[in-house]
Amino acid sequence: MKILITGFEPFGGETINPSTEVLKLLPPKINNFQVITQQIPTVFRKSIDTLYQAIEKEKPDIVLCIGQAGGRAEITVERVAINIDDARIADNEGNQPVDEKVFADGDNAYFSNLPIKAMVEAMKAKNIPAVVSNSAGTYVCNHLMYGLLYYIHKQNPSLRGGFIHIPYIKQQVKDKENIPSMELEEISLGLIIAIEAIIKYQEDIKISGGSIY
Ligand code: PCA
């Protein structure tokens, strides 16, 4: 059994992206799952192409994509990806789509088929700040998550996949005022716990994860 975990290149003026840094801390195996990692360009389209190539090559059972959500204070497990690209800033190759569909023939939105509540509860049980998020934004992270879920719906419904946003790490907020961050080691621990929950729970648990955002 195999899990593919992806992280993004730095973007938006940052020199590091914690979603790539954390890949280096993950063990080669989690339970009986082999861990494969892949860096993804922070570029519309190319991000999805790179993900699809890695899926075709590795044929994983689970795909978990990770991205940085600077300003968030917790590890946020994303519930949904929407069929919209609306970029606040240009991507790493200068693309800045506004109100374009990710896939013209895709649904308006797709839900993660990972046990998002179980993942959040497992992290909280180990005192790691975690919460369900109901928006992955409209930039490259939502774009990639939508691409993953589109692939699952159209090509391989037995593939399990979803997305986690992680906060800035300490060294990124030195020059920023009042911006939350976490230690990279704590994020890595949180992701391992979340992955163990994915492996353990085929069905999600029914527990409130609602919020007004
Ligand atoms: N975060 C961005 C794209 C790459 C990343 O790590 C986002 O949230 O869309």
Side-chain angles (χ1 to χ4, degrees):
M1 304 284 257
K2 235 184 218 183
I3 179 164
L4 172 67
I5 307 177
T6 72
F8 276 103
E9 292 173 334
F11 70 101
E14 296 289 326
T15 53
I16 59 163
N17 188 323
S19 67
T20 280
E21 298 308 312
V22 79
L23 298 182
K24 302 170 193 164
L25 300 189
L26 296 177
K29 273 201 133 193
I30 298 177
N31 295 358
N32 55 338
F33 276 72
Q34 187 189 349
V35 172
I36 307 285
T37 61
Q38 171 73 49
Q39 196 190 40
I40 302 283
T42 305
V43 177
F44 287 98
R45 284 300 142 205
K46 236 184 216 180
S47 50
I48 292 179
D49 293 345
T50 307
L51 177 69
Y52 286 1
Q53 279 161 19
I55 292 174
E56 301 289 336
K57 177 167 172 256
E58 300 292 346
K59 309 215 176 331
D61 304 281
I62 301 168
V63 180
L64 180 62
C65 301
I66 315 290
Q68 161 193 303
R72 289 191 186 173
E74 306 99 346
I75 295 179
T76 51
V77 181
E78 298 294 346
R79 189 195 298 263
V80 60
I82 60 175
N83 196 7
I84 278 287
D85 291 331
D86 188 4
R88 181 180 51 88
I89 52 171
D91 70 15
N92 285 359
E93 290 189 359
N95 309 297
Q96 194 165 5
V98 173
D99 293 350
E100 290 176 19
K101 285 187 180 229
V102 183
F103 282 105
D105 65 344
D107 291 355
N108 284 337
Y110 294 115
F111 290 113
S112 167
N113 66 5
L114 298 181
I116 58 169
K117 304 284 181 72
M119 293 159 74
V120 166
E121 288 309 306
M123 288 190 273
K124 279 169 41 185
K126 292 274 167 20
N127 288 323
I128 292 175
V131 70
V132 169
S133 161
N134 296 298
S135 172
T138 53
Y139 192 51
V140 186
C141 286
N142 172 75
H143 179 85
L144 183 71
M145 182 182 178
Y146 187 89
L148 169 61
L149 299 178
Y150 175 90
Y151 179 91
I152 290 173
H153 277 257
K154 300 271 185 195
Q155 313 233 14
N156 186 359
S158 64
L159 180 63
R160 306 175 72 207
F163 198 100
I164 292 183
H165 263 123
I166 59 177
Y168 282 133
I169 54 174
K170 285 260 149 21
Q171 70 193 87
Q172 293 178 283
V173 297
K174 273 194 231 119
D175 307 324
K176 302 181 177 84
E177 257 174 60
N178 296 323
I179 298 287
S181 68
M182 282 175 70
E183 297 287 354
L184 188 61
E185 289 71 20
E186 193 180 25
I187 295 174
S188 155
L189 186 62
L191 293 183
I192 293 168
I193 292 166
I195 292 163
E196 287 171 345
I198 299 171
I199 294 169
K200 182 168 170 198
Y201 294 89
Q202 290 291 326
E203 299 283 326
D204 205 357
I205 55 175
K206 197 161 178 126
I207 182 168
S208 169
S211 64
I212 53 159
Y213 54 87

